[in-house]
Amino acid sequence: MLANSLVELDRAHLIHPVASWRGHEAAGVRVLKSAKGATVTDARGRTLLDGFAGLWCVNAGYGHESIIEAATKQLRELPYATGYFGLGSEPAIRLASRLAEHAPGDLSHVFFTLGGSDAVDTTVRFVRYYWQAKGQPQKEHFISVEQGYHGSTTVGSGLTALPAFHAGFGVPYTWQHKIPSHYSYRNPVGNSPEAIIAASLAALKAKVEELGGADKVAAFYLEPIQGSGGVLVPPEGWVKAMRDACRAMDILFIADEVITGFGRTGPIFACLEEDIVPDMMTTAKGLTSGYVPMGAVFLSDHMYQVMADAAGPAAIGHGFTYSAHPVSAAVGLAVLDLYENGLFDNGRKAGALLQQGLASLSDHPLVGDVRGRGMLAAVELVTDKERKTPLPASAKASTRIFDRAWDNGLVIRAFAQGVLGYAPPLCCSEDEIAEIIERTRKTLDQTLADPDVRAAMA
């Protein structure tokens, strides 16, 4: 009875993110009641494996008492402290210091935000301030990569290159530009790493020239692995090549690690695996394992010094009420302890099993591509492997496959183009990874039996 009343209250009052409002009203909400480890339980008592860690964020898994105790202790001692007026709190100071120790190169300064989207917005403001400080205000254009995701705030959604975040919102702005994705499975130049890297470098340089040269371009944004675009993994060397090109053209390079950070691909940050040092790096999600909201911008020392010198005694006018929130920082410290004391290691082992298990599905009639790194993966479905024909629109992949997987006891991300996304918690056991694979196989077999899918294959 309670679940039914919640459905009606939700329908009447709660606006859900990135949803068809009318569609959600018709379908109703699925209420989650509790969670532990890598599983979630709904209000009707059904337990499911969370193959997507909430929204790529519960990296540590659910229900860790050490995290709960850290938050509770901080709530009792100091539930809030502003960072304004030169004030601060011990958890935020210690978290910034520990994060800086893990960061690549000279990314030694940390600005805390509420999440990933406002972290991206913060970088845009810092980029602008930096070039003003350098006496180059004409460097005003920003470039990102098609099928990339950089948040859904007013500014970030313009850097994002997914149609759903643009339609009806009047973005991107005239100073926000895109180059094609590396998308190896569907790249016009084929799947040769060398050809893809060459094509991307050519596209970046052509876009810079189109905008009036490097003197007009402020920054280039990318995700080490494109998440919401379908878990698109670039060829080895692609990220480094783009970073080197930006450095040669004096264009700031911003790595968006909101999804890839904190062990999702193996190391604490994917940039370490790519052997690069960006000028700025954004993180969130795994920073607190989703237990409380928090994001962070890592600012390189060379950018910090230019901006600090330019401001002198004046304030740099950027900040949020909840920047460096002490409870979020206390949670971040507790999560980092878990990562360092075995969770990163378990995530690497579980990630290898996940990649191996999903690869074993490659012979399924619907599987066109399996890709990923560590505990981040995707399976792309097609009705013709040779022609790489996507599922028909009638298959309603984003809802039908999600619903079917849910009924099979598995939470995954089902993208509209027929891509299944995976990002399980790092705490997954060998048996849980095996169950994710088995429940995926069952979902694929059921989808193969759909009349519209079979008709498309014929």
Side-chain angles (χ1 to χ4, degrees), residues 212-230:
D215 286 345
K216 301 290 187 182
V217 179
F220 176 67
Y221 285 68
L222 59 71
E223 301 163 271
I225 293 176
Q226 293 188 299
S228 295

Side-chain angles (χ1 to χ4, degrees), residues 109-427:
H109 305 273
V110 181
F111 179 90
F112 289 114
T113 64
L114 284 70
S117 289
D118 60 320
V120 170
D121 273 23
T122 294
T123 65
V124 172
R125 299 203 77 199
F126 285 178
V127 166
R128 295 270 194 215
Y129 198 100
Y130 174 82
W131 289 120
Q132 293 275 348
K134 294 268 286 184
Q136 295 175 269
Q138 78 283 358
K139 287 175 78 73
E140 60 180 3
H141 291 285
F142 288 63
I143 302 172
S144 55
V145 182
E146 289 174 3
Q147 294 179 255
Y149 182 79
H150 301 289
S152 63
T153 51
T154 301
V155 168
S157 62
L159 291 170
T160 289
L162 298 168
F165 294 88
H166 294 172
F169 291 107
V171 292
Y173 296 109
T174 55
W175 48 271
Q176 296 176 318
H177 312 273
K178 311 289 181 290
I179 63 168
S181 171
H182 44 73
Y183 197 176
S184 297
Y185 183 59
R186 297 186 182 277
N187 200 301
V189 302
N191 59 9
S192 158
E194 295 78 13
I196 292 171
I197 291 170
S200 291
L201 287 172
L204 177 61
K205 290 170 184 174
K207 181 61 69 176
V208 170
E209 287 307 307
E210 176 191 323
L211 297 172
D215 286 345
K216 301 290 187 182
V217 179
F220 176 67
Y221 285 68
L222 59 71
E223 301 163 271
I225 293 176
Q226 293 188 299
S228 295
V231 189
L232 306 181
V233 184
E236 185 177 350
W238 183 88
V239 174
K240 192 172 193 308
M242 302 306 279
R243 202 288 173 252
D244 290 347
C246 287
R247 179 175 283 134
M249 292 187 283
D250 197 22
I251 294 169
L252 292 175
F253 182 95
I254 291 83
D256 187 337
E257 289 230 32
V258 170
I259 289 173
T260 55
F262 300 100
R264 178 55 59 200
T265 68
I268 186 168
F269 301 117
C271 283
L272 294 168
E273 198 168 30
E274 303 289 351
D275 191 29
I276 64 156
V277 180
D279 296 297
M280 281 189 284
M281 181 173 74
T282 58
T283 64
K285 296 190 185 293
L287 172 60
T288 60
S289 190
Y291 279 55
V292 289
M294 191 177 223
V297 174
F298 290 70
L299 181 66
S300 58
D301 187 63
H302 69 90
M303 284 190 69
Y304 177 89
Q305 299 302 339
V306 167
M307 294 167 68
D309 286 344
I316 294 177
H318 180 72
F320 306 108
T321 300
Y322 300 111
S323 294
H325 195 285
V327 178
S328 295
V331 167
L333 286 167
V335 170
L336 198 51
D337 286 342
L338 288 170
Y339 288 151
E340 292 173 345
N341 293 317
L343 266 181
F344 280 157
D345 290 337
N346 193 76
R348 280 187 280 269
K349 293 172 187 172
L353 292 173
L354 178 69
Q355 299 298 330
Q356 183 181 11
L358 291 175
S360 74
L361 301 174
S362 295
D363 61 353
H364 192 280
L366 286 178
V367 173
D369 190 37
V370 177
R371 51 184 179 260
R373 193 184 301 158
M375 291 290 262
L376 182 61
V379 175
E380 183 160 351
L381 306 186
V382 295
T383 56
D384 186 313
K385 296 195 182 200
E386 188 176 337
R387 295 181 176 84
K388 303 180 181 178
T389 309
L391 294 186
S394 63
K396 297 180 180 177
S398 62
T399 54
R400 192 189 291 176
I401 292 174
F402 180 89
D403 292 348
R404 189 163 278 153
W406 179 279
D407 291 341
N408 292 332
L410 176 64
V411 183
I412 55 172
R413 176 80 174 265
F415 296 94
Q417 67 270 42
V419 173
L420 284 58
Y422 299 81
L426 307 185
C427 65

